[in-house]
Amino acid sequence: MLAIARQRMLGQSFKKILPAVSVLRSYSSAAKQITVREALNSALDEEMSADPKVFLMGEEVGEYQGAYKITKGLLEKYGPERVLDTPITEAGFTGIGVGAAYYGLKPVVEFMTFNFSMQAIDHIINSAAKSNYMSAGQISVPIVFRGPNGAAAGVGAQHSQCYAAWYASCPGLKVLSPYNSEDARGLLKAAIRDPDPVVFLENELLYGESFPVSDEVLDSSFCLPIGKAKIEREGKDVTITAFSKMAAEMLEKDGIYAEVINLRSIRPLDRSTINASVRKTNRLITVEEGFPQHGVGAEICASVVEESFSYLDAPVERIAGADVPMPYAANLERMAVPQVEDIVRAAKRACYRSVPLAATA
Amino acid sequence: MILGRAFEDMCAQMYYRGKMFGFVHLYNGQEAVSTGFIKLLKQQDSVVSTYRDHVHALSKGVPARAVMSELFGKTTGCCRGQGGSMHMFSREHNLLGGFAFIGEGIPVATGAAFTSKYKREVLKEADCDHVTLAFFGDGTCNNGQFFECLNMAALWKLPIVFVVENNLWAIGMSHLRATSDPQIYKKGPAFGMPGIHVDGMDVLKVREVAKDAIGRARRGEGPTLVECETYRFRGHSLADPDELRDPAEKAHYAARDPITALKKYLIENSLASEADLKAIDKKIDEVVEDAVEFADESPVPSQSQLLENVFADPKGFGIGPDGRYRCEDPKFTEGTAHV
C-alpha cells in the first residue's frame, strides 16, 4: 500500500511542492529575516567586540567597506588598527596573519575571492595548518581565512574555482561552508573562537539572500559546532549531500522524498550523519560545484562505500561542476554548474535502479 | 659560537653514522651572525629562521639536548620529534621556526612584529616592545614575499630587523648569477628603511650593527635591512657534494673564520688567555657529547603520538561512526593513521 502510494508520488511530480517549500521557509512566524551578508557582518562585529585580539585583514576591508560589503561599518567602529586595509600582497599579508596568530592574536584574513588564496596557499597549508603539529603543540594558529568561493555570475575561469576539495584534503585545517544566514553566523563565530586554522568558504551569490533566523541565532553567544552536518529536510528515498549554494537548489526540487544534508563542515566531514542517512534511504547523491575529480563528492562516496556498502541499493551518483575551466558565456556557464534538472535526473536514476517488487504488482 | 660550530660538526658525524636523516643544513662559518644578533635579544623577542636553524635555536636558548634529540627524531626533542631539522619551534624561547620554504618565514616574522605593535597599541600592554628578527639568505632576496614584507613592515613601522645571511650561494646557484643587482642592502631604502652592509665574519662588527637595528625597532622607529656578508664552510646540506664552489673562494673565507678571528682578538687584547679558551672548547665538547648521549638514550615517539597535536582542538578530527567526537574515544590515538 505504502509502496504504491510512493510509486504514485514518484511518478507524479518533480514540480515544486509549493506548500512544502513555504512551510520550510517560514517555520517561525516571529522570525526575523536577515541576509547572509548581514549575518556575517554581525558575527564579525560581535566577535570583535567580545575579544580585542580579533582583528581583520584583507584588501578593501576597511575604507571600501569590504569588496562585497561584508565588513561594512567595522572600520568606523573599531579603527584602523583592528581593520587593516592591506596592499595587494596575498602571500605577504596571509603570512603576517599567521605570524600574529602564532602569538595568540586572532586574525580574520579576507581573500577577495578564494582564487586569490592560491597566492597565499603556502602560508595556509605550511605555516598555518602544519604548525601545531610541527611544533608538537607549542604553537597553535587561531586564524580564520574567509572569502567567497566557487562560481559567481560571469566572472570567468580565474575567478570561479571551488577550493573546498583542495583545502579539505589537508590535515590540520578545518574547512567550513555555510549555506544560510544561520549557518553563516554560527559557523563564523565558531571559526573565530576556534584555536585552529579555519578556511571559511562563503558564496558570493548567497550574500544577498535573506533567510529567517530565530532569536537564538541572533544572540551574541550563538555558535554552531564544527564537524556536524545539518539535515535540512528529512526524507526516505535518497540522500542528497550538498554545501553552500547547492543546498539552495535541493530544497526547491522535492518530489522524491529526498533527505537533504547540508554538510556545513567539509573538514571534518560529518561521516556519521551521512552514513546514518544512507543507511535509512539506501541511495546517495553528492552535489558540489567544484571540479569532479578528487572532489568532495568523491570523498563522501568513498566514505559511504567503506562504511555502509551493504546498505546501498544503487551506485552513488556524483554531481559536480563540469570538468572544464569556467566559461564566460552565460549559457555555457549555466551548463558548467550543476542545475536543479541535473539533480532531479540523478535522483530519478538512483531511485529507479531498483524498484520495490510490490510497486510493480 | 663555539657551541654552534661544535654542534654542527657533531651533526655531520651523526648524520654519516645514520642517526640523523632527511635534510640537514649546517651553519658552519656563519656563527657570527647568529651570535651577534641573537645574543642581544630578550627572551620575549622572537626569532624566525629558515631550514638552517640549528644554531639560531641554540643561540636563542633552546638547550643543546633538545635540539639534538629533535634531530634524532626522539620524543624528547624540542618538537617531540615531529618537526625535525628544518622545523625547530620553541614557544618558551620564542623561536618561531624553522621553515623549509625560503621566504616563508619572512611574513611570519612580520606578523610577529605586527603582534608586538598591536599589543602595545590596541591591547594597551604599554611596555610591549618586543622585537622580531627574521633570518634568511641571499636566494630569498629574489622572492616576492621578501619585497612584500619590506613594503608592509616599512608602511606600518613594525619592530622587525630583516637579517640577510648572504653566503653568496643558494645551493649551487651563485648569488651573482641569480640577481640583477647583487647588493641586497640597497633594496632597503627603496622601501623606506635603512639598508646596512656588514662583514658577517666578524662577530663584533655584527654586534654593533645589530645593536643599532634592534634599538631602532625597540624605539618604534621601524624596520631595518641588514646584509651580513658571510660564508658557509660546508655544502648547502649534508647531501650536497659542493662541487661548484671555487676552492680559492672557500680558502679565502676559511681564513676569515669568525671563531679564529675572535680568539685572536681576545688574546691580542688580553681579554682572555689560551687556557681560558681551551677550557671553553672543552666545556662545549662535553655539552655536545652529553647532548648526543641524551638523544641516543631518549625513546622514539610512541605510536599514539602520530595523531597528537594535529589540532589544538582535536574535535577537528570529526565525529566517529558512533556519533561522538572521535577524540573523545580513549582508544583514538592507539589506532592506525587512517582517521
Side-chain angles (χ1 to χ4, degrees), chain A residues 8 24 45 64 67 82 104 106 124 150 158 189 198 203 226 232 238 241 246 272 276 294 340:
Chain A
R8 208 176 293 143
L24 204 62
D45 193 352
Y64 198 77
R82 290 185 71 193
K106 293 180 161 200
I124 299 175
Q158 292 187 353
K189 277 165 162 298
V198 180
N203 186 294
I226 292 182
E232 290 287 345
V238 63
T241 62
M246 294 289 104
S272 149
H294 305 298
V340 177

Side-chain angles (χ1 to χ4, degrees), chain A residues 26-310:
Chain A
S26 54
Y27 44 72
S28 163
S29 51
K32 195 168 162 226
Q33 294 254 355
I34 61 171
T35 59
V36 172
R37 181 178 282 118
E38 283 162 4
L40 294 168
N41 183 278
S42 62
L44 287 170
D45 193 352
E46 285 162 23
E47 292 302 304
M48 285 183 79
S49 139
D51 185 349
K53 300 206 282 291
V54 178
F55 70 95
L56 302 183
M57 214 160 139
E59 293 157 9
E60 310 294 14
V61 294
E63 293 190 6
Y64 198 77
Q65 309 294 323
Y68 295 99
K69 307 293 179 249
I70 306 295
T71 50
K72 187 164 179 205
L74 297 176
L75 172 65
E76 220 172 49
K77 196 167 170 192
Y78 296 102
E81 292 113 4
R82 290 185 71 193
V83 179
L84 282 112
D85 276 326
T86 60
I88 308 176
T89 45
E90 272 75 13
F93 70 71
T94 306
I96 289 184
V98 173
Y102 276 17
Y103 271 105
L105 292 190
K106 293 180 161 200
V108 178
V109 175
E110 172 171 317
F111 290 115
M112 203 178 277
T113 80
F114 261 92
N115 299 273
F116 306 159
S117 75
M118 289 199 283
Q119 298 216 328
I121 202 169
D122 171 35
H123 283 292
I124 299 175
I125 309 284
N126 277 328
S127 31
K130 296 182 185 171
S131 288
N132 200 55
Y133 194 76
M134 288 197 293
S135 69
Q138 292 176 80
I139 298 190
S140 81
V141 190
I143 191 171
V144 177
F145 304 102
R146 53 159 292 271
N149 177 54
V155 292
Q158 292 187 353
H159 280 74
S160 307
Q161 189 167 336
C162 173
Y163 289 88
W166 282 28
Y167 288 120
S169 73
C170 184
L173 274 186
K174 296 178 180 171
V175 180
L176 303 176
S177 191
Y179 154 56
N180 57 17
S181 306
E182 179 186 333
D183 286 356
R185 255 182 77 81
L187 293 177
L188 186 54
K189 277 165 162 298
I192 294 175
R193 295 178 198 180
D194 196 277
D196 288 306
V198 180
V199 170
F200 194 81
L201 304 170
E202 302 160 3
N203 186 294
E204 197 229 317
L205 297 172
L206 284 175
Y207 283 153
E209 297 271 325
S210 287
F211 296 91
V213 286
S214 64
D215 287 331
E216 193 204 339
V217 173
L218 292 171
D219 181 68
S220 65
S221 60
F222 177 68
C223 204
L224 285 173
I226 292 182
K228 271 220 81 57
K230 178 168 180 216
I231 299 186
E232 290 287 345
R233 177 168 199 67
E234 297 227 353
K236 50 189 172 45
D237 295 322
V238 63
T239 300
I240 301 182
T241 62
F243 60 95
S244 194
K245 181 152 182 300
M246 294 289 104
E249 312 288 327
M250 298 318 87
L251 294 167
E252 307 271 312
K253 68 136 292 293
D254 288 345
I256 280 183
Y257 288 116
E259 177 147 297
V260 179
I261 300 182
N262 170 10
L263 292 172
R264 281 183 170 173
S265 177
I266 316 292
R267 183 174 184 109
L269 207 49
D270 191 351
R271 294 167 214 271
S272 149
T273 300
I274 297 169
N275 277 285
S277 173
V278 170
R279 286 170 191 213
K280 189 170 75 166
T281 65
N282 310 123
R283 293 158 218 277
L284 173 64
I285 302 176
T286 66
V287 181
E288 66 190 293
E289 206 178 27
F291 300 137
Q293 188 165 340
H294 305 298
V296 177
E299 175 62 31
I300 294 176
C301 175
S303 169
V304 164
V305 163
E306 279 167 9
E307 292 175 35
S308 312
F309 181 66
S310 49

Side-chain angles (χ1 to χ4, degrees), chain B residues 303-318:
Chain B
Q303 190 182 13
S304 62
Q305 206 182 302
L306 180 67
L307 295 174
E308 285 174 24
N309 298 132
V310 178
F311 293 107
D313 163 26
K315 292 210 193 90
F317 278 112

